[in-house]
Amino acid sequence: MSSAAEGPTPYALETVDVRKHFGGVHAVDGLSIGIPRGEITCVVGPNGSGKSTLINLLSGMLPLDGGLVVVDGVRLRVVKPHETPGLGVTRTFQDVRLFDQITVWDNIMVVLTERRLLPSLFERPRPGQRERTEQILRNVGMWEKRRSLAMDLSYGQRKLLEIGRAMALNVNTYLFDEPFAGLFPQMLERVKEIMRQMRSEGRTILFISHNMDIVRELSDHLIVMDSGRLLTEGDAEEVLAQPEVIEAYLGV
């Protein structure tokens, strides 16, 4: 269920009193936050604070138990995962999800052509789709692996390809769940540069990370969660300067 947009908003995404519980555990407990449009926002907090649950709720992978999600001013009490790209939102997963039995090239083409796997493999590419696939693979550093099966890639390469698949959707807002976890330094730098490029294009990024050096380097806006609730949010530098955040949640 959704309602019409209420007009321009500075936020690409918002939550209003969002709740999610698993039995007696309140994974997200009355959370109201705003993700500024065209900026990089990071969500931090201790393990079990509700960070990944939040992304699952925003992307429709989990149903809301209460509250609503606002996407570009459109208020949603039900978020359906197959509808989020049409709303301008896509995501990556902490456990990378690819089509393992097809090539790196075809993993991108599936997104750019017919969205179902088998029809997409037989669909004749339209003008520009091959060029766009090459552009994306070069951008994420996977061009040399374009003929490899996804199942044969390293963990880091799989993460880069999944980011490329998200880029192929060409949406406004990207949700990245632990995009830097397990990456070698060269791949890590590549992902940081991709995120900076997205921001320069006016895209909105929400990501989760435990690497505080990366959080400091990339974040414009910072959200700190604890036990499913909002501890604090705001300008990244200002939040990182708060003594209670530094001592209790960032460990620096």
Side-chain angles (χ1 to χ4, degrees), residues 180-235:
F180 299 102
L183 295 185
F184 291 117
Q186 183 177 3
M187 292 181 178
L188 187 148
E189 291 300 321
R190 172 80 68 170
V191 175
K192 287 195 290 187
E193 184 55 39
I194 289 169
M195 291 172 66
R196 291 192 188 99
Q197 178 184 337
M198 287 180 168
R199 177 175 57 188
S200 72
E201 296 170 351
R203 317 281 184 177
T204 301
I205 294 172
L206 175 68
F207 78 103
I208 295 171
S209 181
H210 291 284
N211 186 321
M212 294 315 302
D213 290 333
I214 293 176
V215 171
R216 289 178 182 275
E217 183 178 350
L218 285 180
S219 301
D220 303 306
H221 190 79
L222 190 60
I223 294 169
V224 184
M225 294 182 65
D226 180 34
S227 301
R229 298 179 179 178
L230 175 67
L231 178 68
T232 187
E233 72 170 315
D235 176 83

Side-chain angles (χ1 to χ4, degrees), residues 26-50:
H26 294 272
V28 174
D29 190 9
L31 188 68
S32 297
I33 57 172
I35 311 302
R37 189 185 311 279
E39 295 186 7
I40 297 177
T41 296
C42 183
V43 182
V44 299
N47 289 334
S49 60

Side-chain angles (χ1 to χ4, degrees), residues 101-136:
Q101 304 298 325
I102 64 175
T103 65
V104 167
W105 174 275
D106 284 332
N107 262 274
I108 302 296
M109 288 295 290
V110 165
V111 178
L112 292 175
T113 57
E114 166 67 49
R115 296 294 160 78
R116 290 175 297 162
L117 178 57
L118 286 178
S120 72
L121 296 177
F122 297 99
E123 180 182 339
R124 193 179 188 120
R126 295 190 298 272
Q129 288 175 338
R130 290 183 177 276
E131 290 80 0
R132 177 62 177 154
T133 298
E134 179 176 349
Q135 178 189 41
I136 290 170

Side-chain angles (χ1 to χ4, degrees), residues 13-29:
L13 278 175
E14 299 171 74
T15 67
V16 181
D17 195 31
V18 160
R19 300 175 183 274
K20 184 64 188 179
H21 59 81
F22 301 98
V25 177
H26 294 272
V28 174
D29 190 9

